[in-house]
Amino acid sequence: IRVVNKEGETMRRINLQEVTEQVKESVISINYNLDQSLVGLIQKAKENETRDLSKSILSDILENQEIARQGNIPLCQDTGVVVVFLELGKDVTYDGDIYESINEGVRQGYLEGYLRKSIVNHPFNRVNTLDNTPAIIHTTIVPGNQIKMKIASKGGGSENMSKVTMLTPADGIEGVKKLVLDQIFYAGGKPCPPIIVGIGIGGNLEKSALLAKEAILRDLADQSPDETIAQLEKDLYKEINKLGVGPMGVGGETTCLAVKINYFPMHIASLPVAINIQCHSSRHTEVII
């Protein structure tokens, strides 16, 4: 439906029920189906492993995702917290509350998909909300008349191994490398490797964390358009896999499947760095309405 605002500009009216339906279908689908590009990386990792135990674990991961796909059952018992990066076109209009429509999609999806409800309402009371809401929603206003949603189900184990640190400019690239390598080694098998490592550099404390979260949602085959950052992605990928943590922490050649780095301008006195770790069950999709 198209309407005209008071400035005479054409607006596109969105039915928020469609937003709810798309979120519902997405959270079910990503929890049942591992992206095939990721499956391909795990298969390649299995071929490159020399230790029998490491190969066996990667075989189990591949078998698990196939069982989930064929049986329409969750890939993991931890079906995560839903994170949505919402890009809202400035020429879109709608009636109602778009955030509630997203949460309703989560509510319906986690009920109909038999997905574990993992959200509690208070840091200390810890009472389960029973429907996996509220989702965590980050909104950006963009040109155009579409709504884009990057939707992820992020597990608690890998999230708990993530970190934000305020380095200084003097720490430089080597300081960033040391921070990342130390954190991955410390995490060991807890985030269920092989992992995807998202790194956010710049902005400030909270911006770096958002950059890192968005980084793990990037295409697995891409690389940063910035030459320096692209080289850092390659270097860290190699050095992380030399740590010997291996699949599920048992040792081996494969600790991470990809390293993705996003950056943003920052204060002259600061070098914020966030590390967001994603387990091998990387569950996310993109929806455009």
Side-chain angles (χ1 to χ4, degrees):
I1 300 173
R2 297 188 178 276
V3 296
V4 178
N5 65 15
K6 63 182 180 181
E7 286 79 25
E9 298 170 326
T10 301
M11 305 286 288
R12 177 168 171 248
R13 186 180 296 279
I14 298 289
N15 184 344
L16 291 183
Q17 182 58 40
E18 185 174 358
V19 172
T20 295
E21 284 296 316
Q22 291 283 359
V23 172
K24 179 184 77 171
E25 293 173 9
S26 294
V27 296
I28 293 173
S29 177
I30 61 178
N31 273 286
Y32 290 177
N33 303 288
L34 203 58
D35 184 86
Q36 286 303 295
S37 61
L38 181 56
V39 173
L41 288 181
I42 297 170
Q43 289 172 331
K44 184 178 178 180
K46 178 186 171 183
E47 293 168 6
N48 291 336
E49 279 292 347
T50 58
R51 296 175 50 148
D52 289 341
L53 180 56
S54 303
K55 278 182 176 290
S56 175
I57 287 174
L58 292 172
S59 293
D60 289 343
I61 290 172
L62 291 168
E63 182 182 6
N64 178 78
Q65 66 84 27
E66 190 60 33
I67 291 170
R69 185 186 309 279
Q70 293 182 4
N72 288 326
I73 55 177
L75 287 152
C76 177
Q77 51 83 23
D78 183 354
T79 53
V81 56
V82 176
V83 180
V84 179
F85 284 91
L86 171 66
E87 293 185 10
L88 193 57
K90 67 179 183 64
D91 296 323
V92 169
T93 184
Y94 48 83
D95 294 322
D97 185 337
I98 192 168
Y99 298 124
E100 177 51 33
S101 69
I102 291 172
N103 278 311
E104 181 59 24
V106 173
R107 191 174 291 117
Q108 292 179 17
Y110 273 72
L111 176 65
E112 295 179 23
Y114 298 97
L115 305 176
R116 193 184 80 183
K117 290 77 176 173
S118 302
I119 304 302
V120 295
N121 70 340
H122 189 278
F124 307 115
N125 293 343
R126 315 296 291 186
V127 176
N128 199 295
T129 64
L130 302 180
D131 59 10
N132 222 61
T133 68
I136 297 171
I137 305 169
H138 306 289
T139 308
T140 308
I141 306 299
V142 298
N145 62 359
Q146 294 180 321
I147 292 173
K148 180 192 288 187
M149 293 181 288
K150 295 179 181 178
I151 303 169
S153 288
K154 186 68 167 66
S158 59
E159 194 76 355
N160 286 350
M161 292 295 103
S162 300
K163 186 172 187 176
V164 179
T165 301
M166 303 300 290
L167 296 181
T168 67
D171 291 313
I173 287 177
E174 292 307 313
V176 172
K177 283 185 179 180
K178 183 178 187 306
L179 178 69
V180 173
L181 293 172
D182 286 350
Q183 183 62 20
I184 301 303
F185 188 76
Y186 163 76
K190 294 175 183 177
C192 298
I195 56 177
I196 296 166
V197 182
I199 301 169
I201 304 175
N204 58 4
L205 183 141
E206 76 273 13
K207 181 63 176 180
S208 65
L210 283 171
L211 291 168
K213 182 73 70 183
E214 285 191 281
I216 61 174
L217 306 184
R218 281 171 44 190
D219 189 303
L220 289 168
D222 77 359
Q223 66 176 24
S224 173
D226 181 273
E227 184 177 340
T228 300
I229 299 296
Q231 187 61 52
L232 183 55
E233 289 176 339
K234 293 176 184 176
D235 291 346
L236 279 171
Y237 172 79
K238 293 177 182 177
E239 292 179 35
I240 289 170
N241 282 320
K242 289 179 181 177
L243 291 174
V245 173
M248 301 304 287
V250 302
E253 281 79 17
T254 309
T255 298
C256 83
L257 299 169
V259 176
K260 305 293 180 181
I261 303 174
N262 289 352
Y263 72 97
F264 194 83
M266 69 219 74
H267 191 279
I268 56 173
S270 299
L271 182 60
V273 181
I275 305 162
N276 197 218
I277 299 177
Q278 171 61 58
C279 69
H280 65 264
S281 188
S282 180
R283 295 158 292 181
H284 60 88
T285 190
E286 185 175 293
V287 171
I288 298 176
I289 298 175

